Amino acid sequence: MVANAAIEETWTGSRPSRVISSVFAPTPEAAHAARAFVGALVPSACRPVAELLISEMATNALRHAATPFRVGIAVTDVVRLEVWDHSTQIPRLRPTTLDAESGRGLHILAVLSTAWGVDVLDGAKVVWCELPASGPLPATSTP
């Protein structure tokens, strides 16, 4: 078990699942800590992608909300990653240029996850994504 983690029974889609979560302070080390937290809990087949996605979501929470944030993980045949923060600002995909120093996080989320979204709560939001527990989907080629 990961230190300072909470386990909660909840529903993911139509199935009950266990959500393991931990709260992180808004410090420069928080994205790395969130990545290690997720890496310790997800199946090895999807670990590299899950670590990248949670790193992007945690970095967005740090950069745009600058509040403590909670990372939640639910694992069934799908891995659901969530980042809760105390901002109601909705992240949006925006055009980016090749020389831009930021702005690619949601694009990475959109490409590497099977689903993602944002749920607005009372005074907060949760950004979430899902990916197969069995590992990344095979790349598709265009004719």
Side-chain angles (χ1 to χ4, degrees):
M1 177 55 80
V2 177
N4 299 319
I7 299 174
E8 170 185 358
E9 294 292 329
T10 188
W11 288 85
T12 301
S14 61
R15 297 175 296 232
S17 65
R18 290 173 43 178
V19 174
I20 301 173
S21 67
S22 187
V23 176
F24 298 87
T27 65
E29 301 81 21
H32 176 75
R35 183 181 181 117
F37 173 71
V38 166
L41 297 169
V42 299
S44 60
C46 69
R47 187 171 298 137
V49 174
E51 289 176 333
L52 175 60
L53 294 178
I54 204 65
S55 182
E56 292 297 334
M57 292 190 296
T59 299
N60 280 351
L62 287 166
R63 177 174 282 188
H64 300 292
T67 67
F69 63 94
R70 184 177 90 173
V71 171
I73 306 163
V75 179
T76 58
D77 57 330
V78 170
V79 172
R80 182 178 172 100
L81 304 173
E82 301 174 342
V83 172
W84 301 65
D85 66 43
H86 299 285
S87 168
T88 55
Q89 180 182 357
I90 304 297
R92 302 198 189 289
L93 283 170
R94 292 187 173 93
T96 187
T97 61
L98 291 175
D99 59 346
E101 293 183 16
S102 64
R104 292 181 183 83
L106 290 180
H107 292 279
I108 293 169
L109 205 65
V111 169
L112 295 180
S113 65
T114 55
W116 73 278
V118 180
D119 297 328
V120 178
L121 309 168
D122 189 25
K125 71 173 175 299
V126 58
V127 179
W128 58 270
C129 69
E130 296 178 346
L131 60 149
S134 59
L137 296 173
T140 57
S141 60
T142 54

